[in-house]
Amino acid sequence: MGKEELNKDDAAVVAEEKVSRHFIEKEIEKDLAEGVYTTVHTRFPPEPNGYLHIGHAKSILLNYGMAQQYGGKFNLRFDDTNPTKEKSEFVESIKEDVAWLGADYEDRLFFASNYFGQMYEIAVELIKKGKAYVSDLTAEQMREYRGTLDQPGINDPNRDRSIEENLDLFTRMKNGEFKDGEKTLRAKIDMASSNMNMRDPILYRVAHMHHHNTGDKWCIYPMYDYAHPIEDAIEGITHSLCTLEFEDHRPLYDWVVKEAGFVHPPRQIEFAKMYLTNVVTGKRYIKKLVEEGIVDGWDDPRLVSISGLRRRGFTPASIKKFVELSGISKAQSSSDYAMLEYCIREDLKPSCSRMLTVLDPLKLIIDNYPEDQIEMLDADNNLENPELGVRQIPFGRELWIEREDFLPAPVPKYKRLYPGNEVRLMYAYFVKCVGYDTDENGNITAVHATYDPETKSGSGFTGRKVKGTIHWVSAAEAVPVKVRLYENIVDEEKGVYNEDGSLNLNPHSLVECSAYAEPALKDAKPFERFQFVRNGYFCVDCHDSKDGAPVFNRIVGLKSSFKLPAGK
């Protein structure tokens, strides 16, 4: 072997060592190497009791990503074992969210409720093995018998019922002979266990409820901790990736699949949840915001529900990048919302056309420009991406400019319009302010200026320079549009919650503007995204926009305070 070949091999080893893998990847690779599993099969198992939020995106992308990375399979499975809170509406919204994020489940869509028959038969077998019994205790009594972290529990008075009696009672539970809460089926494990989850947990409860998938076929429903491992095992899941709150439930997970007799049991691995600073993610709080009409639905753009982020204008690529930057670990931590904003800016910067829109209009009249003349000026769609081309925008004697771009008496370092000052109108000419009009209350109603025809943009004029450039739209050709500016739904400075646990709402979380846009934006379609010069990135609202009358949601402003971590 020659020196050159040795160097190549050494380089390959160094390159391999530099590949950074998170702990789940390492565990999966260890399992594959040792032959514990021959493939990788993951799942995302949402409970259809609400809309998904940004935290769920981490789980979706992690589970799907691991299946893709190791050439395996990915399931979308609904853990629909609690009909009191579940709706078909939530099922459809979750399917849409998962598909939008790019997690392709193809024909691998499953429902826990489709396994109710198998779960029931497994429960019967547990009774026959002496591993489960029917209890008469009420919920309050069960809490009393359960014990504490320092004190062992007390055995259920019904714990030593005969197998025959338990089978009879469980059959009668299934047949609807008992009222809700009157009977439960419990696992017989260990009431003195240091793990509270192993103190004879409930496997089934009576609930005379209509189910969105099975209708009125069942009046007993399995508990999540019993159903979930069985679902994983039936589907051949190899790695059941879940968040850290299920770590203490893992012994019960393993107990269920072992006692149920599955030959190739799945393995549960826990990771830290995704937390965002000063953001409402809890379903309970989001549900309250929706039900009290504080927001206009689960997809309100102020929420970090996945449907809300999609409606606001975030992209799947930006959310995926955010999840990657946040990392996968066992250590609980919070990610800064500014990092999510950074990710969407980076994604949109090269792809969005930069358009002219005035959000707080003030009339600018160019006194020496011909009254009836409209000329078309060239405007680059995106200087960073020449492939997006050039468009033409109308220019005339009367324009709309931002109200903040004029002051009757300038403050220090103010470089925009004020009497006697000259600025450049973007893509157009130099104009010099010569005066302004006011109403009877002293409010400024119009600004007057003169233009220098020699200073047209692109003409190569070098006679003098100006320090300020402002944007504008032609008053005669402008399109009236509604623009929505968003801030956090909660007051970031005061914190998310008040002392009584209520949400600390931000009264300025939504500001609506009656704006003017250049004509090209009139026919913008839902979910189209644009950069509005100086004002940020915007997306056409999918609910409230109409043909010829778009409504624009601000996705994010242009400036970021976020600093990309070293090595990212």
Side-chain angles (χ1 to χ4, degrees):
M1 185 178 292
K3 183 177 180 181
E4 185 179 345
E5 292 180 71
L6 281 170
N7 289 340
K8 286 182 178 179
D9 290 342
D10 291 343
V13 170
V14 172
E16 181 66 25
E17 289 177 349
K18 285 184 177 179
V19 174
S20 176
R21 287 180 170 83
H22 54 67
F23 78 98
I24 292 178
E25 290 172 312
K26 292 175 182 177
E27 292 296 321
I28 289 175
E29 290 174 9
K30 182 174 180 289
D31 287 343
L32 293 174
E34 294 177 354
V36 178
Y37 305 107
T38 58
T39 186
V40 172
H41 196 161
T42 63
R43 82 292 169 269
F44 174 62
E47 192 177 351
N49 60 359
Y51 282 56
L52 302 182
H53 57 67
I54 186 69
H56 295 108
K58 178 178 180 178
S59 182
I60 294 167
L61 294 171
L62 173 61
N63 277 281
Y64 180 68
M66 292 300 93
Q68 289 292 102
Q69 184 172 328
Y70 297 102
K73 298 177 181 178
F74 168 79
N75 294 0
L76 171 60
R77 182 221 304 140
F78 288 94
D79 264 318
D80 54 345
T81 59
N82 185 6
T84 59
K85 297 181 179 181
E86 297 162 357
K87 295 181 182 179
S88 296
E89 172 194 352
F90 299 142
V91 170
E92 295 307 312
S93 73
I94 290 170
K95 287 163 60 177
E96 184 178 1
D97 288 346
V98 173
W100 179 73
L101 282 172
D104 185 4
Y105 51 88
E106 296 180 355
D107 58 346
R108 307 201 63 79
L109 173 64
F110 302 95
F111 291 85
S113 53
N114 290 339
Y115 311 136
F116 280 173
Q118 290 163 274
M119 292 176 190
Y120 177 79
E121 294 302 324
I122 290 171
V124 169
E125 290 302 313
L126 290 176
I127 293 173
K128 290 179 179 179
K129 290 168 61 177
K131 298 290 185 177
Y133 61 95
V134 174
S135 171
D136 300 338
L137 294 182
T138 65
E140 184 177 349
Q141 289 172 326
M142 205 167 290
R143 281 192 293 271
E144 293 174 0
Y145 277 63
R146 195 178 185 210
T148 66
L149 292 173
D150 300 321
Q151 296 292 326
I154 302 171
N155 282 351
D156 190 311
N158 312 121
R159 199 172 196 266
D160 295 322
R161 272 177 165 151
S162 69
I163 291 174
E164 291 73 22
E165 186 180 4
N166 282 318
L167 288 172
D168 175 64
L169 288 171
F170 191 50
T171 301
R172 292 167 62 192
M173 285 170 62
K174 178 178 74 74
N175 292 340
E177 294 185 27
F178 300 109
K179 297 177 183 178
D180 292 3
E182 192 173 347
K183 305 283 184 186
T184 59
L185 181 71
R186 299 182 71 179
K188 186 185 288 188
I189 306 179
D190 182 7
M191 288 302 294
S193 173
S194 59
N195 187 330
M196 301 287 282
N197 296 294
M198 301 298 281
R199 295 184 183 179
D200 290 12
I202 297 174
L203 305 182
Y204 269 91
R205 78 282 195 196
V206 177
H208 294 266
M209 293 288 295
H210 181 82
H211 190 282
H212 74 94
N213 190 32
T214 60
D216 298 317
K217 181 178 179 180
W218 296 90
C219 62
I220 57 170
Y221 290 96
M223 301 298 288
Y224 177 87
D225 278 345
Y226 170 72
H228 186 74
I230 292 174
E231 298 154 26
D232 282 348
I234 289 173
E235 292 176 12
I237 300 303
T238 57
H239 297 86
S240 181
L241 309 180
C242 59
T243 46
L244 277 177
E245 70 263 33
F246 293 103
E247 187 171 27
D248 289 342
H249 297 244
R250 194 197 316 152
L252 179 56
Y253 181 102
D254 293 339
W255 183 92
V256 171
V257 291
K258 177 184 176 183
E259 296 298 337
F262 288 101
V263 179
H264 300 291
R267 178 187 176 191
Q268 178 175 303
I269 304 176
E270 307 86 16
F271 61 92
K273 272 186 173 183
M274 174 180 285
Y275 291 98
L276 261 69
T277 55
N278 294 323
V279 168
V280 179
T281 55
K283 283 183 181 178
R284 178 165 61 95
Y285 287 106
I286 294 177
K287 184 178 180 182
K288 184 177 181 180
L289 291 171
V290 173
E291 291 178 346
E292 293 183 2
I294 296 169
V295 295
D296 68 3
W298 288 87
D299 65 348
D300 188 291
R302 288 168 289 180
L303 301 176
V304 289
S305 60
I306 294 177
S307 56
L309 291 168
R310 179 168 67 248
R311 180 180 172 189
R312 184 157 172 176
F314 281 79
T315 62
S318 66
I319 294 175
K320 183 177 181 180
K321 182 65 176 178
F322 175 65
V323 170
E324 290 174 354
L325 290 176
S326 297
I328 305 295
S329 73
K330 280 222 177 228
Q332 297 282 22
S333 61
S334 293
S335 295
D336 196 329
Y337 186 80
M339 185 163 75
L340 178 60
E341 294 181 321
Y342 165 85
C343 292
I344 187 62
R345 284 190 192 95
E346 290 299 297
D347 190 37
L348 297 182
K349 191 185 299 181
S351 61
C352 282
S353 293
R354 299 177 181 180
M355 314 295 283
L356 301 180
T357 303
V358 175
L359 307 189
D360 187 12
L362 174 64
K363 182 69 67 70
L364 173 66
I365 302 170
I366 304 174
D367 294 335
N368 63 334
Y369 193 87
E371 287 194 29
D372 299 324
Q373 180 175 314
I374 296 291
E375 63 176 308
M376 303 303 292
L377 304 176
D378 289 337
D380 293 299
N381 285 325
N382 189 326
L383 285 171
E384 295 182 21
N385 185 357
E387 292 184 4
L388 292 182
V390 176
R391 70 187 185 282
Q392 289 200 312
I393 51 177
F395 180 86
R397 184 172 185 266
E398 295 191 1
L399 310 172
W400 294 112
I401 62 171
E402 295 286 0
R403 188 167 294 274
E404 67 176 18
D405 285 343
F406 172 76
L407 285 179
V411 295
K413 297 185 180 180
Y414 188 76
K415 298 177 182 179
R416 287 166 255 173
L417 276 177
Y418 56 86
N421 192 43
E422 189 174 44
V423 300
R424 173 178 288 283
L425 296 177
M426 186 175 287
Y427 306 124
Y429 301 93
F430 287 9
V431 293
K432 184 176 183 180
C433 178
V434 295
Y436 58 94
D437 300 331
T438 60
D439 61 17
E440 62 276 10
N441 297 316
N443 299 310
I444 298 169
T445 57
V447 176
H448 290 266
T450 58
Y451 87 114
D452 182 349
E454 301 296 323
T455 60
K456 186 175 182 179
S457 182
S459 66
F461 176 79
T462 59
R464 61 186 182 280
K465 293 183 178 181
V466 293
K467 295 182 178 180
T469 299
I470 64 175
H471 67 284
W472 51 274
V473 292
S474 168
E477 307 290 334
V479 177
V481 296
K482 182 180 289 186
V483 173
R484 293 167 176 164
L485 307 179
Y486 296 106
E487 292 181 5
N488 202 322
I489 192 74
V490 296
D491 191 319
E492 296 181 48
E493 293 185 3
K494 296 180 180 178
V496 177
Y497 306 111
N498 293 313
E499 290 183 2
D500 61 359
S502 62
L503 289 170
N504 193 357
L505 297 174
N506 174 9
H508 307 296
S509 63
L510 170 61
V511 175
E512 292 190 329
C513 306
S514 296
Y516 286 108
E518 61 174 275
L521 289 171
K522 180 179 180 180
D523 297 318
K525 304 301 181 187
F527 294 114
E528 281 193 288
R529 302 174 186 87
F530 305 91
Q531 183 192 121
F532 289 175
V533 171
R534 284 178 47 204
N535 286 314
Y537 292 96
F538 290 78
C539 179
V540 182
D541 189 79
C542 60
H543 289 342
D544 301 324
S545 297
K546 298 178 181 178
D547 289 344
V551 176
F552 292 94
N553 300 327
R554 183 156 69 181
I555 309 167
V556 65
L558 295 177
K559 294 183 179 180
S560 175
S561 59
F562 175 75
K563 301 294 184 183
L564 189 66
K568 294 293 186 178

